[in-house]
Amino acid sequence: MLNLKSIFSFALAATLVTGMPAQAEEIIKLATTTSTENSGLLKNLLPKFEAESGYKVQVIATGTGKALKLARQGDVDVIMTHAPAAEAKFVDEGFGLLPRGIMENDFVILGPKNDPAKIRNSKTVEEAFAKIAESGAIFVSRGDNSGTNMKEMIIWNNAKVDASFAGYKSVGQGMGKTLLMANELQGYTLSDRGTFVAYKAKLDMAIDFDGGQALANPYQIMLINPAKYPDLNHKGARAFSDWLIGAEAQGMINSYKVQGEQLFKATYSE
Amino acid sequence: MNEGWLALLQQALGLLFSLDPDVWSIVSVSFSVSFAALGITLLPSMILGFMLAFGRFPGRWFVTNLIQTLQSIPTVVIGLLVYLMLTRMGPLGDLRWLFTQKGMILGQMMICAPVLVAMSQAAFTSVDRRAWETSRTLGASWFRGILTVCRELKVPLLMAIVAGFSRILTEVGCSMMVGGNIADVTRNIPTAIALETSKGDFAQAIALGLVLLILSLVLNFTLGALRGKAEPRSH
């Protein structure tokens, strides 16, 4: 028979172990994009960093727009995003320090396998976008101010197409949900390659346009200016940034694979 | 927060009173979908509620409990069910209703009906059976009899309608899954609030929240005024 006292002391011990608040110094709050979290990259990298440094990284995965906002408000210690223009503004305005490009992957245009808008032989991504708009096909946009959404807007702008044609649907959802919607509606969408690889089995879609370097998707890690928010964990943030650009982490990024495909290419250079 | 509460509230009010087209498109999607769902379910639900209260038929106990259960199912579960029915591979996939207002209306009907049935059943059960019997023995037709009972029950029946309506007007789970939150088409107040919050743009979320708050204040104060006239009689 179970002894009440032993159950009680066990419960107490369990509560102490799991519920004990780690000391504020040891926690690093990282705001980042859903792609780094959903792809499983962070789960692969963080335990190693945590074991080596003694810090604990808490990840807040959200769109790049919201991640930058959290950083502006001093709600997180460090930020890793993928929207170069918005990041440059963040640094210029004195919120961000020491932006370091740590890795990149690329965007692709996904669409129905039979490619109704005939974008496969397009020379540029702008041409492909214009064809989608002209053909009357459906285009599903994330419309959530994420890094992918910002990239999409830049392309429409460069293609001189007004993104309000009949088939344009701005759905305001994360990448995964947007892919499922595009699949249901058999429309086109702009996606990062990593999320597509992760969702491939669920989708009746193909990469209809692969833009190479023109669709590169660079990720940066940035520190937050201590002058703005002195009480953040700046030491931990710096340690994390330094670790990410090191040979070990850069190697781990290169060798991280999902379903046999490399998702990110390490890019740090002095 | 470096924006400050007051500044946010000011921006939100600005959006509302400048009749920002985005805000009003969202509000109108919300209302047209929810009114349609309520309009279609109202009469059948009330009739079922009446039958469950007054009728005696096999399976009555089972149906009553089933409806009580349906009332407490989270809206995302109903959303999931409707999604699976409407998806390309689903039994109703050929309708192509997924990510349309029709799909949202279907989902909201399934959320609203149990509330209407259960609350109207409770109202009809509470009425003095003699009101019904007397009007019938005085030669009133079936229909007139029901009207007499309904007049007695004006307040509780209105409360049922308000409860059903507020449940569908405020639910986010089913609308997000089945509607897909498409701008200007299926984006309603709750899904827009979820989106704006995920973007970190709080002003518009607050503006939309205010619309819901004002609406529920108006509905409930109106009900309160009606109820005020229906105090228990002292003699």
Side-chain angles (χ1 to χ4, degrees), chain A residues 67-103:
Chain A
L68 286 165
K69 202 126 194 170
L70 287 171
R72 267 172 210 275
Q73 291 166 352
D75 289 330
V76 292
D77 302 312
V78 62
I79 178 173
M80 191 161 96
T81 51
H82 62 140
E87 287 157 7
K89 190 161 165 260
F90 183 72
V91 173
D92 285 346
E93 288 174 6
F95 287 99
L97 285 181
L98 198 65
R100 287 163 159 174
I102 49 168
M103 61 187 189

Short mmCIF file of all heavy atoms in Angstrom, two decimals, chain A residues 67-103:
data_model
loop_
_atom_site.label_atom_id
_atom_site.label_comp_id
_atom_site.label_asym_id
_atom_site.label_seq_id
_atom_site.Cartn_x
_atom_site.Cartn_y
_atom_site.Cartn_z
N ALA A 67 8.06 39.92 -33.55
CA ALA A 67 9.33 39.71 -32.86
C ALA A 67 10.06 41.03 -32.69
O ALA A 67 10.57 41.35 -31.61
CB ALA A 67 10.19 38.70 -33.62
N LEU A 68 10.09 41.84 -33.77
CA LEU A 68 10.75 43.14 -33.69
C LEU A 68 10.02 44.04 -32.70
O LEU A 68 10.64 44.81 -31.97
CB LEU A 68 10.79 43.79 -35.08
CG LEU A 68 11.82 43.19 -36.04
CD1 LEU A 68 11.56 43.62 -37.47
CD2 LEU A 68 13.23 43.59 -35.62
N LYS A 69 8.71 43.93 -32.67
CA LYS A 69 7.92 44.74 -31.74
C LYS A 69 8.25 44.36 -30.29
O LYS A 69 8.41 45.23 -29.43
CB LYS A 69 6.44 44.49 -32.02
CG LYS A 69 5.56 45.59 -31.53
CD LYS A 69 4.70 46.07 -32.68
CE LYS A 69 4.03 47.39 -32.35
NZ LYS A 69 3.40 47.96 -33.53
N LEU A 70 8.33 43.07 -30.04
CA LEU A 70 8.67 42.61 -28.69
C LEU A 70 10.03 43.17 -28.27
O LEU A 70 10.22 43.60 -27.14
CB LEU A 70 8.72 41.08 -28.64
CG LEU A 70 7.38 40.35 -28.69
CD1 LEU A 70 7.60 38.85 -28.85
CD2 LEU A 70 6.57 40.63 -27.44
N ALA A 71 10.97 43.17 -29.22
CA ALA A 71 12.31 43.66 -28.93
C ALA A 71 12.29 45.17 -28.68
O ALA A 71 12.95 45.68 -27.78
CB ALA A 71 13.25 43.33 -30.08
N ARG A 72 11.50 45.90 -29.46
CA ARG A 72 11.36 47.34 -29.27
C ARG A 72 10.82 47.68 -27.89
O ARG A 72 11.13 48.71 -27.31
CB ARG A 72 10.38 47.92 -30.29
CG ARG A 72 11.03 48.43 -31.53
CD ARG A 72 9.96 48.79 -32.53
NE ARG A 72 10.50 48.61 -33.86
CZ ARG A 72 11.21 49.55 -34.50
NH1 ARG A 72 11.40 50.71 -33.94
NH2 ARG A 72 11.71 49.31 -35.69
N GLN A 73 9.95 46.80 -27.39
CA GLN A 73 9.32 47.07 -26.11
C GLN A 73 10.14 46.53 -24.95
O GLN A 73 9.72 46.63 -23.79
CB GLN A 73 7.92 46.45 -26.08
CG GLN A 73 6.97 47.17 -27.01
CD GLN A 73 5.70 46.38 -27.26
OE1 GLN A 73 5.58 45.23 -26.84
NE2 GLN A 73 4.74 46.99 -27.93
N GLY A 74 11.30 45.93 -25.25
CA GLY A 74 12.15 45.42 -24.19
C GLY A 74 11.59 44.19 -23.52
O GLY A 74 11.87 43.93 -22.35
N ASP A 75 10.78 43.42 -24.24
CA ASP A 75 10.19 42.22 -23.64
C ASP A 75 11.06 40.98 -23.82
O ASP A 75 10.77 39.93 -23.26
CB ASP A 75 8.81 41.94 -24.26
CG ASP A 75 7.77 42.97 -23.81
OD1 ASP A 75 7.93 43.48 -22.69
OD2 ASP A 75 6.83 43.25 -24.57
N VAL A 76 12.09 41.08 -24.66
CA VAL A 76 12.97 39.92 -24.87
C VAL A 76 14.42 40.39 -24.81
O VAL A 76 14.71 41.58 -24.89
CB VAL A 76 12.71 39.25 -26.25
CG1 VAL A 76 11.34 38.60 -26.28
CG2 VAL A 76 12.84 40.26 -27.38
N ASP A 77 15.35 39.41 -24.67
CA ASP A 77 16.76 39.75 -24.50
C ASP A 77 17.52 39.78 -25.82
O ASP A 77 18.52 40.47 -25.95
CB ASP A 77 17.42 38.73 -23.57
CG ASP A 77 16.74 38.68 -22.22
OD1 ASP A 77 16.52 39.76 -21.65
OD2 ASP A 77 16.41 37.57 -21.76
N VAL A 78 17.05 38.99 -26.79
CA VAL A 78 17.78 38.88 -28.05
C VAL A 78 16.79 38.46 -29.13
O VAL A 78 15.72 37.92 -28.82
CB VAL A 78 18.96 37.86 -27.89
CG1 VAL A 78 18.44 36.48 -27.55
CG2 VAL A 78 19.84 37.80 -29.12
N ILE A 79 17.14 38.72 -30.39
CA ILE A 79 16.17 38.52 -31.44
C ILE A 79 16.82 37.93 -32.68
O ILE A 79 17.94 38.31 -33.04
CB ILE A 79 15.45 39.86 -31.73
CG1 ILE A 79 14.45 39.74 -32.84
CG2 ILE A 79 16.44 40.96 -32.05
CD1 ILE A 79 13.65 41.00 -33.00
N MET A 80 16.12 36.99 -33.31
CA MET A 80 16.65 36.37 -34.53
C MET A 80 15.54 36.39 -35.58
O MET A 80 14.52 35.74 -35.40
CB MET A 80 17.07 34.93 -34.23
CG MET A 80 17.85 34.28 -35.33
SD MET A 80 18.74 32.85 -34.68
CE MET A 80 17.62 31.56 -35.10
N THR A 81 15.74 37.16 -36.64
CA THR A 81 14.65 37.36 -37.60
C THR A 81 15.16 37.30 -39.04
O THR A 81 16.37 37.13 -39.27
CB THR A 81 13.99 38.74 -37.37
OG1 THR A 81 15.01 39.72 -37.33
CG2 THR A 81 13.21 38.75 -36.07
N HIS A 82 14.27 37.48 -39.99
CA HIS A 82 14.68 37.39 -41.41
C HIS A 82 13.95 38.42 -42.28
O HIS A 82 13.20 38.07 -43.17
CB HIS A 82 14.48 35.97 -41.95
CG HIS A 82 13.06 35.49 -41.95
ND1 HIS A 82 12.52 34.76 -42.98
CD2 HIS A 82 12.07 35.64 -41.05
CE1 HIS A 82 11.26 34.47 -42.71
NE2 HIS A 82 10.96 35.00 -41.54
N ALA A 83 14.11 39.69 -41.97
CA ALA A 83 13.56 40.74 -42.82
C ALA A 83 14.56 41.89 -42.87
O ALA A 83 14.49 42.82 -42.07
CB ALA A 83 12.23 41.22 -42.26
N PRO A 84 15.52 41.83 -43.81
CA PRO A 84 16.66 42.76 -43.80
C PRO A 84 16.27 44.23 -43.68
O PRO A 84 16.89 44.96 -42.89
CB PRO A 84 17.33 42.49 -45.15
CG PRO A 84 16.95 41.08 -45.48
CD PRO A 84 15.59 40.86 -44.91
N ALA A 85 15.22 44.67 -44.41
CA ALA A 85 14.89 46.09 -44.37
C ALA A 85 14.39 46.50 -42.99
O ALA A 85 14.81 47.52 -42.43
CB ALA A 85 13.83 46.40 -45.43
N ALA A 86 13.49 45.69 -42.43
CA ALA A 86 12.95 46.01 -41.11
C ALA A 86 14.05 45.93 -40.04
O ALA A 86 14.06 46.71 -39.08
CB ALA A 86 11.81 45.05 -40.76
N GLU A 87 14.99 45.00 -40.24
CA GLU A 87 16.09 44.87 -39.28
C GLU A 87 17.02 46.08 -39.33
O GLU A 87 17.47 46.57 -38.29
CB GLU A 87 16.87 43.58 -39.56
CG GLU A 87 16.11 42.33 -39.14
CD GLU A 87 16.56 41.08 -39.88
OE1 GLU A 87 17.56 41.14 -40.63
OE2 GLU A 87 15.90 40.04 -39.73
N ALA A 88 17.28 46.56 -40.55
CA ALA A 88 18.15 47.73 -40.69
C ALA A 88 17.53 48.93 -39.98
O ALA A 88 18.21 49.71 -39.30
CB ALA A 88 18.38 48.04 -42.17
N LYS A 89 16.22 49.07 -40.10
CA LYS A 89 15.51 50.16 -39.46
C LYS A 89 15.62 50.03 -37.93
O LYS A 89 15.85 51.01 -37.23
CB LYS A 89 14.04 50.12 -39.90
CG LYS A 89 13.24 51.33 -39.51
CD LYS A 89 11.96 51.43 -40.37
CE LYS A 89 10.98 52.40 -39.76
NZ LYS A 89 9.91 51.74 -39.02
N PHE A 90 15.50 48.81 -37.47
CA PHE A 90 15.58 48.50 -36.04
C PHE A 90 16.94 48.92 -35.48
O PHE A 90 17.04 49.48 -34.39
CB PHE A 90 15.35 47.00 -35.86
CG PHE A 90 15.32 46.51 -34.45
CD1 PHE A 90 14.26 46.80 -33.62
CD2 PHE A 90 16.36 45.73 -33.96
CE1 PHE A 90 14.22 46.32 -32.32
CE2 PHE A 90 16.33 45.25 -32.66
CZ PHE A 90 15.26 45.55 -31.85
N VAL A 91 17.99 48.66 -36.26
CA VAL A 91 19.34 49.03 -35.83
C VAL A 91 19.52 50.55 -35.92
O VAL A 91 20.03 51.19 -35.00
CB VAL A 91 20.41 48.30 -36.67
CG1 VAL A 91 21.80 48.81 -36.36
CG2 VAL A 91 20.33 46.79 -36.41
N ASP A 92 19.05 51.14 -37.04
CA ASP A 92 19.20 52.59 -37.25
C ASP A 92 18.52 53.39 -36.15
O ASP A 92 19.00 54.44 -35.75
CB ASP A 92 18.58 53.00 -38.60
CG ASP A 92 19.47 52.58 -39.75
OD1 ASP A 92 20.64 52.23 -39.47
OD2 ASP A 92 19.01 52.58 -40.91
N GLU A 93 17.40 52.91 -35.70
CA GLU A 93 16.66 53.64 -34.67
C GLU A 93 17.24 53.45 -33.28
O GLU A 93 16.68 53.95 -32.30
CB GLU A 93 15.18 53.22 -34.69
CG GLU A 93 14.46 53.76 -35.91
CD GLU A 93 13.04 53.24 -36.04
OE1 GLU A 93 12.58 52.55 -35.11
OE2 GLU A 93 12.40 53.52 -37.06
N GLY A 94 18.34 52.70 -33.20
CA GLY A 94 19.03 52.59 -31.93
C GLY A 94 18.52 51.50 -31.01
O GLY A 94 18.93 51.43 -29.85
N PHE A 95 17.64 50.63 -31.50
CA PHE A 95 17.16 49.54 -30.64
C PHE A 95 18.09 48.33 -30.74
O PHE A 95 18.36 47.67 -29.76
CB PHE A 95 15.75 49.12 -31.04
CG PHE A 95 14.70 50.10 -30.65
CD1 PHE A 95 14.19 51.01 -31.56
CD2 PHE A 95 14.24 50.13 -29.34
CE1 PHE A 95 13.23 51.92 -31.19
CE2 PHE A 95 13.28 51.04 -28.95
CZ PHE A 95 12.77 51.95 -29.88
N GLY A 96 18.57 48.05 -31.95
CA GLY A 96 19.36 46.85 -32.18
C GLY A 96 20.85 47.14 -32.23
O GLY A 96 21.27 48.21 -32.66
N LEU A 97 21.63 46.17 -31.78
CA LEU A 97 23.08 46.28 -31.83
C LEU A 97 23.64 45.00 -32.42
O LEU A 97 23.05 43.93 -32.27
CB LEU A 97 23.64 46.42 -30.42
CG LEU A 97 23.50 47.76 -29.69
CD1 LEU A 97 24.16 47.64 -28.33
CD2 LEU A 97 24.12 48.89 -30.50
N LEU A 98 24.81 45.13 -33.05
CA LEU A 98 25.58 43.98 -33.49
C LEU A 98 24.77 42.98 -34.31
O LEU A 98 24.65 41.82 -33.94
CB LEU A 98 26.17 43.28 -32.25
CG LEU A 98 27.33 42.32 -32.48
CD1 LEU A 98 28.55 43.07 -32.99
CD2 LEU A 98 27.66 41.57 -31.21
N PRO A 99 24.19 43.42 -35.44
CA PRO A 99 23.48 42.45 -36.27
C PRO A 99 24.48 41.50 -36.94
O PRO A 99 25.48 41.96 -37.48
CB PRO A 99 22.77 43.32 -37.31
CG PRO A 99 23.56 44.58 -37.36
CD PRO A 99 24.19 44.77 -36.01
N ARG A 100 24.23 40.21 -36.84
CA ARG A 100 25.14 39.24 -37.45
C ARG A 100 24.32 38.28 -38.31
O ARG A 100 23.38 37.67 -37.83
CB ARG A 100 25.85 38.44 -36.38
CG ARG A 100 26.92 39.21 -35.63
CD ARG A 100 27.25 38.48 -34.34
NE ARG A 100 28.55 38.88 -33.83
CZ ARG A 100 29.02 38.45 -32.65
NH1 ARG A 100 28.29 37.66 -31.89
NH2 ARG A 100 30.21 38.84 -32.24
N GLY A 101 24.70 38.19 -39.58
CA GLY A 101 24.04 37.22 -40.46
C GLY A 101 24.55 35.84 -40.12
O GLY A 101 25.73 35.57 -40.26
N ILE A 102 23.67 34.96 -39.64
CA ILE A 102 24.18 33.65 -39.22
C ILE A 102 23.86 32.54 -40.21
O ILE A 102 24.58 31.56 -40.28
CB ILE A 102 23.63 33.26 -37.84
CG1 ILE A 102 22.13 33.46 -37.79
CG2 ILE A 102 24.34 34.05 -36.75
CD1 ILE A 102 21.52 32.83 -36.58
N MET A 103 22.78 32.71 -40.96
CA MET A 103 22.44 31.61 -41.89
C MET A 103 21.43 32.12 -42.91
O MET A 103 20.90 33.22 -42.77
CB MET A 103 21.84 30.44 -41.12
CG MET A 103 20.57 30.81 -40.40
SD MET A 103 20.01 29.48 -39.34
CE MET A 103 18.40 30.10 -38.88
#
